[in-house]
Amino acid sequence: MADELKLLSTWFSPFGSRVKLALHLKGLSYEYVEEEDLMNKSQLLLESNPVHKKVPVLFHRGKALCESMVIVDYIEEAFADAGPPLLPSDPYERAVARFWVAFIETKLVEPWFKMLDGTRARAEMADGVKQMLAAVATLEGALAQCAKGRPFFGGDGVGYVDVALGGLLVWVRASEVLLGGVKFIDAARTPLLAAWADRLAALDAAKAALPDFGRVIKHAMMRRGAAAAALAQSN
Amino acid sequence: MADELKLLSTWFSPFGSRVKLALHLKGLSYEYVEEEDLMNKSQLLLESNPVHKKVPVLFHRGKALCESMVIVDYIEEAFADAGPPLLPSDPYERAVARFWVAFIETKLVEPWFKMLDGTRARAEMADGVKQMLAAVATLEGALAQCAKGRPFFGGDGVGYVDVALGGLLVWVRASEVLLGGVKFIDAARTPLLAAWADRLAALDAAKAALPDFGRVIKHAMMRRGAAAAALAQSN
């Protein structure tokens, strides 16, 4: 069954990284197809995600799935017997995980895009930084609440929130450099998240799923404004 | 079990309407508590949704659940044996429903708020109208794809997408009036959605869950700018 899985993404997409993380955590093998140029999209992307025309797209049994966290839900449900579950079985605990993922999407990803968008006014970008710092501070509290002293948002194992935030990790780190030294996840300000980030990055699944930090920096430096535009082509 | 359910919302909140719709579709009874003044929030709201401080909040067995669609997921999972399922059992079909709900949140609700926000520049509001018209046109296609000739997004029965969009219905209609006659859901332009809206509004669950159209118009007219601010206090 696993060999019918095909992932279309770009090597640097943080949203593609979420899907890769989930696939590796579940131990599912897949064919990977690189979307070469998001400014000149492939026929495969245009046809498989006609609404958003964004990566990642996961193909399974010839059907296309779009939107990173919708794909993660799908992997969780279609391969329920593969690997450890990402969501707990208790409905309340599941709701807590979904609440934090919704928080990440609206309170972290949105200002983050604003912040990296070189076409916006300086004040608007500064506003994005402020909002993202506030979001990270809230997530520090969320980690304490969810993990209760255990290593991950998911508890002892990597869960739904870990995948949602973990996929973004290299880009969050890269943003710190690109913005000239703002610290989002930092041992002094967010000690729990900083330790969490180290633990997550050390996992085999993360090593396989996340892009190389140096390569992301180089890519972003080279493209600067265009990097934000390209990022905005994934969800 | 059902008598332990308590919903905190405002009578006009479209997001509260989603939760009410789900509760009524499942045949669950609940205590309803009105959040009287969103500009001067109750201690109950501030304590039960400390992150967003928004309605609706559903209480079940003393635990608070926030974010309308997270609450709908919870109702679906915690009361799996009550009423018809909102999500199909097939993982791919579930992903399709989740994809369209994510679409509604980002492509319909966001521009809708922009459009109704009297504090924004006229050009930005006009941009919101344009984006919302585009979103509704896409949803017309989604309905054809999901319903395949049957009455609802969920097929023969009301489903997850029907709840997400149905909760907004009275406010979408009210927005048409408030904006001086723009037509979003319209028999000529979106015949499938127009017929769907009529079918949905005729359901007992919708009659119980959705606010009165005239009262919404009166409320919005009276408050105008403040109405958008109040709307933005629910999610």
Side-chain angles (χ1 to χ4, degrees):
Chain A
M1 198 152 68
D3 57 339
E4 299 164 40
L5 282 166
K6 181 164 86 175
L7 175 63
L8 176 67
S9 190
T10 60
W11 65 268
F12 57 82
S13 167
F15 306 100
S17 295
R18 287 173 167 175
V19 175
K20 286 182 191 169
L21 251 182
L23 290 168
H24 284 277
L25 287 165
K26 293 275 180 190
L28 299 166
S29 56
Y30 58 97
E31 180 194 346
Y32 177 73
V33 179
E34 178 75 12
E35 177 70 20
E36 294 289 348
D37 181 5
L38 285 173
M39 298 299 117
N40 181 21
K41 291 171 182 172
S42 69
Q43 208 52 33
L44 182 62
L45 178 56
L46 296 175
E47 281 170 10
S48 55
N49 189 357
V51 174
H52 299 297
K53 306 175 182 70
K54 292 183 181 186
V55 292
V57 179
L58 183 71
F59 300 88
H60 184 218
R61 297 177 176 160
K63 282 178 174 161
L65 296 127
C66 308
E67 290 261 347
S68 54
M69 291 312 294
V70 173
I71 300 175
V72 172
D73 273 317
Y74 177 81
I75 293 169
E76 174 81 349
E77 294 176 352
F79 300 94
D81 300 332
L86 297 172
L87 280 163
S89 57
D90 176 67
Y92 176 74
E93 299 294 330
R94 292 165 75 88
V96 171
R98 289 200 182 106
F99 174 88
W100 287 117
V101 168
F103 179 90
I104 289 166
E105 302 304 57
T106 56
K107 301 295 178 187
L108 190 98
V109 172
E110 279 184 31
W112 184 34
F113 274 46
K114 200 155 84 176
M115 194 178 75
L116 287 177
D117 183 355
T119 66
R120 290 185 188 243
R122 196 169 272 269
E124 229 183 329
M125 288 169 71
D127 200 42
V129 173
K130 214 170 120 184
Q131 287 172 31
M132 201 166 144
L133 284 168
V136 171
T138 302
L139 286 172
E140 176 79 359
L143 179 53
Q145 180 204 339
C146 293
K148 298 186 186 77
R150 295 166 301 168
F152 297 106
F153 283 92
D156 290 317
V158 176
Y160 196 62
V161 185
D162 299 287
V163 168
L165 191 58
L168 315 179
L169 197 54
V170 172
W171 268 100
V172 171
R173 293 280 194 220
S175 305
E176 295 177 336
V177 175
L178 294 170
L179 290 163
V182 186
K183 280 283 175 192
F184 294 114
I185 296 182
D186 171 64
R189 227 175 48 91
T190 58
L192 295 177
L193 276 176
W196 167 86
D198 290 343
R199 268 193 300 273
L200 191 105
L203 297 172
D204 285 343
K207 285 177 193 158
L210 301 185
D212 177 69
F213 178 75
R215 196 176 164 208
V216 164
I217 292 284
K218 207 167 145 187
H219 167 80
M221 289 289 197
M222 249 172 37
R223 305 175 51 109
R224 207 71 202 204
L231 256 192
Q233 296 310 310
S234 72
N235 61 1
Chain B
M1 199 151 67
D3 57 339
E4 301 163 39
L5 282 165
K6 180 164 89 174
L7 175 63
L8 176 67
S9 190
T10 60
W11 64 269
F12 57 82
S13 166
F15 305 99
S17 295
R18 286 174 168 175
V19 175
K20 287 183 191 169
L21 250 182
L23 290 168
H24 285 278
L25 286 165
K26 294 276 179 187
L28 299 166
S29 57
Y30 58 96
E31 181 194 346
Y32 177 73
V33 180
E34 179 76 11
E35 176 70 19
E36 294 289 347
D37 181 4
L38 285 174
M39 299 297 117
N40 182 19
K41 291 171 183 172
S42 70
Q43 209 52 33
L44 182 62
L45 178 55
L46 296 175
E47 280 169 11
S48 56
N49 190 358
V51 174
H52 299 299
K53 306 174 181 69
K54 294 184 179 186
V55 293
V57 180
L58 183 72
F59 300 88
H60 183 218
R61 298 178 174 158
K63 282 178 174 161
L65 297 128
C66 309
E67 290 261 348
S68 55
M69 291 312 294
V70 173
I71 301 175
V72 171
D73 274 316
Y74 178 82
I75 293 169
E76 174 80 348
E77 294 177 353
F79 300 95
D81 299 333
L86 296 172
L87 279 163
S89 58
D90 176 67
Y92 177 74
E93 298 295 330
R94 292 166 75 87
V96 170
R98 290 201 181 106
F99 174 87
W100 286 116
V101 169
F103 179 88
I104 288 165
E105 302 304 57
T106 56
K107 301 295 179 187
L108 191 100
V109 172
E110 279 183 32
W112 184 35
F113 273 45
K114 198 153 88 176
M115 193 179 76
L116 287 177
D117 182 355
T119 67
R120 289 184 189 244
R122 195 169 272 270
E124 230 183 330
M125 289 170 70
D127 200 42
V129 174
K130 215 170 121 186
Q131 287 171 28
M132 200 165 145
L133 284 168
V136 171
T138 302
L139 286 172
E140 176 80 358
L143 180 54
Q145 180 205 337
C146 293
K148 298 187 185 78
R150 295 167 301 170
F152 296 105
F153 282 92
D156 290 318
V158 175
Y160 196 63
V161 185
D162 298 287
V163 168
L165 190 60
L168 314 179
L169 197 54
V170 171
W171 269 101
V172 170
R173 293 278 194 223
S175 305
E176 295 176 338
V177 174
L178 294 170
L179 290 163
V182 185
K183 280 283 176 194
F184 295 115
I185 296 181
D186 172 64
R189 227 177 47 91
T190 58
L192 295 177
L193 275 176
W196 166 86
D198 290 344
R199 268 193 301 272
L200 191 105
L203 298 172
D204 285 342
K207 284 177 193 158
L210 301 184
D212 178 69
F213 177 75
R215 197 175 163 209
V216 164
I217 291 285
K218 208 167 145 188
H219 167 80
M221 289 288 198
M222 248 172 37
R223 306 176 49 108
R224 206 70 201 206
L231 255 192
Q233 296 311 312
S234 71
N235 62 1

